[in-house]
């Protein structure tokens, strides 16, 4: 039986428009059978979806009916109890005239027992109602999610997807994402208001996770298909610096800017869908990890940017494999790609991220970070293992002064990484993002040196190579005596001249080089470890050189000649200079941060903390504090030795002067202002002091002459005033003249030199007193001493001096 076509007037406008669009020419009429089969398939899909919705609707009605029956029974119980309460109140009121006490008891029973129980029951019923409504709402939302995901699966399974099918697929995906967002809103609210409903939340999360496990891979696969249709990744041949003609650089078109209208629309929708899924994932993780370290789990790269970088990285590795011996080409290509496409991230993709409400992400930053991450991964997998193998094949432990090819290649690669990181940071800083990266500790994301953060053994190897190379460079200078003789002027801004030899400047330059290298590392812990392994041993080596030179000078002449003294003073000056540099550095924020990290590591084993076999007391200790302390000890020890040596020589030359006891009973020789035996000692003292003043830095020289003054005071007091000698008037005058000359030697460095000779000054004051003044001294004792301004002598010392004073009438 032949079916007649319906009248055209009976067709709806949408059907007429559809037929006009699909059957416009004779060729399209010949393909009408395919159109019919497509329509039949779509109708079958719609019928199946309708059947699924009916089944879900029926199950929801059954569930709602069961909840409704339970709620109805509970409300009926509440109504009966309220009726009982009302009847009890009426009965108690009617019997109040003759049986008031019995009615009062009944009212107290109702208010004290039944009413609180009724209130609890009402609250429980309300909670059940809220739980039922929430469960039903979540079940409906999850059902919508599952339906949308199921529809996307069916549409993806078609062999020949059309443009309308792609649009429909994207619509279903957005429906699923919106349903997921609504579900997450409800779950977040339930988590805060009803944390006891943990099983309900867990059940919903389980179903949502299953849906996301299907939805996200589908979205990524569709996004990759769109990128392929865009022509991504672009050809890299023109970016190959070894093949390109510098006079005519090839212009590579950016596929993101050359997209056509429909393709651009589909790509933008796919990009937004991926960003929306990632934002949803962040919200879910934030809720699930409440109370834990959420920041670590939430720091994920932008999925859509990763999909742009991954094919570029794969395409680049074809060129990288040819440039293992020329790593500068690898860094040049990565930077060229990063720079060429970074503008499209700001202009085209950043608005899409903002539209997806994905907060806290910068497409520019994510693009640069992903490119640097791909470079770091390649270096860690392909380049560094080759270089480590080269070092293993050499005698790395042999420090001969000859730089091996393996070490040269390693240091060259590190130089390239540092230069690349600086260029990348300047690229990021163009939008002002770098400060926020530093505050958040995310500098590792845009640093190729993050390779060393993941491989501490490579960091240790790098530090060892740097240290070995520095020692090889310093060895000729350490052996050159001219470097210990030539002085450098002005070490630090605003600080006195330490008269430091040139070798200290060489060590300081090398230490500054190590610190500058460490600044390129992206984390504080890696900087700390690098300085501990390459910088601290450098300071220790410098201190060893200083001690060795001082010991050599002491061993040859016991520091008796001027050359030995000068050799020691140069070492002291160099040590004081280095100590001042390290103290000034310790106040810098860069070292303060590492000091806090170092303090956290104190007490840990060396294998865990990475420290150099030493522990420093107290949290937040500076990284160079131990070395500063050792330099201070060295300086104090050898300044003390200088004072001791000079004082020993002064003592030896004062022996005849101290043994001559008759001189204190005689007047000074005519024409002599100082005793003959004392002149030699004073000349020796003044000569040594002049040598030390010329050679030693001002700060340490102050310590030397003060120590000498104290020692001389002690020597003369015990040798003259405490000896069994009688002082006549002429001897006191002679002694006063000798001491005045001694004070004059030290008068060049202070205004009141006698203040540094307290005992001999007080002793001379006692000897110069009149006989009448001393009569009451033996009875008054301490009070008398204080009244006469004698504060540095004990009563016994004063009595002995007074007994030795002889007055001749």
């Amino acid at each position: 039986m032949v079916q007649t076509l319906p009248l055209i007037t009976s067709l709806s406008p949408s059907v007429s428009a559809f037929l006009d669009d699909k059957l416009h020419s004779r060729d399209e009429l010949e393909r009408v059978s395919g159109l019919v089969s497509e329509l039949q398939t779509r109708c079958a899909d719609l019928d199946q979806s309708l059947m699924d919705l009916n089944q879900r609707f029926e199950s929801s009605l059954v569930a709602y009916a069961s909840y409704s029956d339970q709620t109805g029974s509970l409300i009926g119980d509440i109504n009966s109890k309220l009726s009982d309460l009302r009847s009890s109140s009426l009965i108690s009121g009617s019997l109040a005239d003759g049986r008031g006490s019995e009615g009062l008891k009944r009212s107290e029973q109702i208010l004290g027992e039944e009413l609180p129980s009724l209130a609890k029951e009402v609250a429980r019923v309300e909670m059940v109602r809220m739980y039922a409504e929430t469960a039903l709402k979540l079940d409906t939302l999850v059902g919508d999610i599952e339906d949308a995901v199921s529809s996307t699966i069916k549409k993806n399974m078609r062999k020949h997807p059309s443009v309308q099918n792609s649009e429909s697929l994207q619509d279903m995906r957005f429906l699923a994402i919106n349903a997921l967002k609504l579900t997450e809103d409800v779950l977040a609210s339930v988590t805060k208001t009803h944390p006891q409903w943990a099983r309900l939340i867990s059940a919903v999360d389980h179903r949502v996770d299953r849906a996301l496990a299907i939805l996200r891979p589908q979205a990524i696969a569709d996004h990759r298909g769109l990128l392929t249709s865009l022509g991504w990744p672009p050809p890299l041949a023109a970016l190959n610096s070894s093949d390109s003609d510098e006079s005519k650089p090839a212009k590579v078109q950016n596929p993101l800017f050359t997209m056509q209208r429909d393709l651009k629309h589909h790509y933008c929708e796919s990009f937004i869908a991926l960003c929306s899924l990632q934002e949803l994932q962040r919200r879910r993780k934030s809720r699930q990890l409440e109370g834990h370290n959420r920041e670590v789990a939430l720091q994920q790269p932008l999925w859509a940017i990763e999909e742009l970088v991954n094919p570029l990285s794969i395409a680049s590795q074809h060129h990288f494999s040819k440039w293992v011996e020329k790593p500068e080409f690898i860094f040049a290509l990565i930077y060229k790609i990063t720079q060429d496409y970074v503008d499209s991230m700001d202009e085209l993709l950043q608005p899409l991220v903002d539209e997806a409400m994905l907060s806290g992400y910068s497409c520019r930053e994510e693009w640069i970070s992903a490119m640097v991450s791909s470079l770091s991964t390649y270096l860690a997998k392909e380049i560094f293992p080759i270089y480590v193998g080269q070092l293993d094949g050499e005698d790395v432990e042999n420090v001969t002064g000859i730089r091996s090819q393996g070490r040269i290649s390693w240091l060259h690669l590190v130089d390239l990484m540092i230069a690349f990181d600086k260029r990348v940071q300047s690229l990021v800083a163009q939008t002002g993002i770098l400060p926020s990266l530093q505050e958040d500790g995310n500098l590792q994301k845009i640093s190729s040196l993050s390779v060393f953060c993941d491989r501490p053994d490579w960091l240790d190897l790098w530090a060892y190579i740097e240290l070995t190379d520095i020692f090889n460079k310093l060895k000729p200078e350490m052996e050159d005596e001219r470097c210990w003789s030539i002085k450098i002027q002005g070490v630090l801004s605003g600080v006195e001249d330490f008269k430091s030899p040139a070798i200290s400047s060489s060590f300081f330059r090398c230490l500054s080089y190590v610190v500058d290298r460490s600044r390129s590392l992206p984390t504080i812990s890696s900087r700390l470890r690098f300085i501990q392994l390459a910088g601290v041993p450098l300071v220790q080596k410098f201190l060893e050189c200083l001690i060795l030179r001082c010991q050599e000078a002491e061993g040859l002449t016991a520091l008796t000649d001027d050359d030995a003294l000068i050799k020691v003073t140069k070492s002291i000056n160099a040590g004081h200079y280095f100590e001042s540099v390290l103290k000034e550095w310790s106040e810098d924020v860069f070292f303060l941060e590492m000091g806090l990290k170092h303090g956290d590591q104190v007490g840990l084993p060396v294998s865990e903390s990475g420290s150099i076999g030493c522990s420093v007391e107290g949290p937040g200790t500076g990284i160079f504090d131990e070395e500063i302390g050792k330099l201070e000890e060295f300086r104090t020890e050898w300044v003390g030795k200088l004072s001791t040596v000079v004082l020993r020589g002064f003592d030896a030359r004062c022996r005849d002067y101290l043994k001559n006891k008759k001189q204190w009973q005689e007047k000074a020789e005519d024409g002599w202002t100082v005793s003959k035996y004392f002149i030699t000692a004073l000349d020796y003292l003044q000569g040594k002091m002049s040598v030390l003043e010329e050679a030693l830095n001002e700060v340490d020289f102050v310590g030397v002459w003060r120590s000498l003054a104290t020692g001389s005071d002690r020597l003369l007091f015990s040798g003259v005033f405490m000896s069994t000698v009688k002082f006549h008037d002429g001897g006191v005058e002679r002694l006063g003249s000798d001491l005045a000359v001694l004070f004059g030697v030290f008068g060049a460095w202070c205004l009141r030199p006698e203040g540094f000779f307290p005992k001999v000054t007080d002793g001379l004051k006692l000897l110069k007193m009149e006989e009448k003044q001393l009569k009451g001294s033996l009875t008054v004792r301490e009070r008398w001493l204080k009244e006469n301004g004698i504060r540095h002598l004990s009563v016994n010392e004063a009595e002995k001096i007074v007994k030795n004073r002889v007055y001749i009438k």
Side-chain angles (χ1 to χ4, degrees), residues 776-790:
S777 63
L778 297 179
T779 57
V780 178
R781 295 180 180 274
E782 292 184 7
R783 181 180 177 184
W784 183 88
L785 292 175
K786 291 181 179 180
E787 289 177 352
N788 287 273
I790 299 173

Side-chain angles (χ1 to χ4, degrees), residues 462-481:
W462 174 28
Y464 175 79
I465 293 173
E466 291 282 7
L467 184 63
T468 304
D469 189 62
I470 290 172
F471 281 162
N472 291 338
K473 293 177 180 178
L474 285 174
K475 188 175 180 180
E477 297 187 45
M478 289 188 291
E479 296 174 352
D480 188 356
E481 195 63 31

Side-chain angles (χ1 to χ4, degrees), residues 525-714:
S525 58
S526 59
R527 297 171 203 155
L528 171 63
R529 187 175 182 86
F530 184 80
I531 293 181
Q532 284 178 326
L533 295 176
V536 172
L538 190 60
V539 182
Q540 294 172 347
K541 181 67 174 180
F542 182 63
L543 181 58
E544 289 175 4
C545 292
L546 299 181
I547 295 175
L548 181 61
R549 288 182 63 83
C550 291
Q551 290 175 344
E552 289 175 353
E554 185 182 32
L556 290 175
T557 62
L559 304 181
T560 55
D561 63 342
D562 292 347
D563 291 339
L565 287 178
I566 293 173
K567 189 173 184 178
V568 173
T569 58
K570 290 177 180 177
S571 297
I572 293 175
N573 293 340
H576 202 162
Y577 161 69
F578 231 72
E579 177 190 333
S580 301
V581 170
L582 295 180
K583 285 182 177 179
E584 185 177 270
W585 280 3
S586 299
E587 299 175 359
D588 188 82
V589 176
F590 177 76
F591 291 95
L592 290 176
E593 290 178 341
M594 284 193 294
L596 293 175
K597 193 71 175 180
H598 187 210
D600 294 339
Q601 294 179 353
V602 169
L604 295 176
V606 175
S607 59
E608 296 180 14
S609 67
S611 58
I612 309 297
C614 60
S615 60
V616 185
E617 297 180 359
T621 308
I623 183 174
F624 291 115
D625 276 9
E626 184 173 353
E627 282 62 43
I628 292 174
K630 290 181 179 179
L631 287 169
E632 289 179 343
E633 292 175 5
F634 160 77
R635 185 165 53 87
T636 303
E637 177 185 356
W638 286 95
V639 165
K641 285 188 177 183
L642 290 179
S643 303
T644 301
V645 167
V646 175
L647 187 62
R648 190 185 300 127
F650 180 70
D651 182 15
R653 288 159 179 78
C654 285
R655 288 175 185 174
D656 294 340
Y657 176 71
L658 298 177
K659 288 179 181 179
N660 187 4
K661 299 181 179 180
K662 292 183 179 180
Q663 62 182 333
W664 310 123
Q665 302 171 11
E666 304 171 352
K667 292 183 179 181
E669 296 87 345
D670 294 337
W672 291 85
T673 58
V674 62
S675 301
K676 295 181 180 180
Y677 294 109
F678 199 40
I679 291 177
T680 304
L682 290 175
D683 182 65
Y684 169 83
L685 180 63
Q686 189 170 20
K688 293 297 181 182
M689 294 283 284
S690 298
V691 172
L692 292 176
E693 183 182 15
E694 177 66 24
L696 197 60
N697 68 84
E698 182 178 349
V699 176
D700 289 319
F701 178 70
V702 170
V704 169
W705 74 255
R706 287 185 177 182
S707 178
L708 285 174
T710 303
S712 301
D713 179 56
R714 186 168 53 249

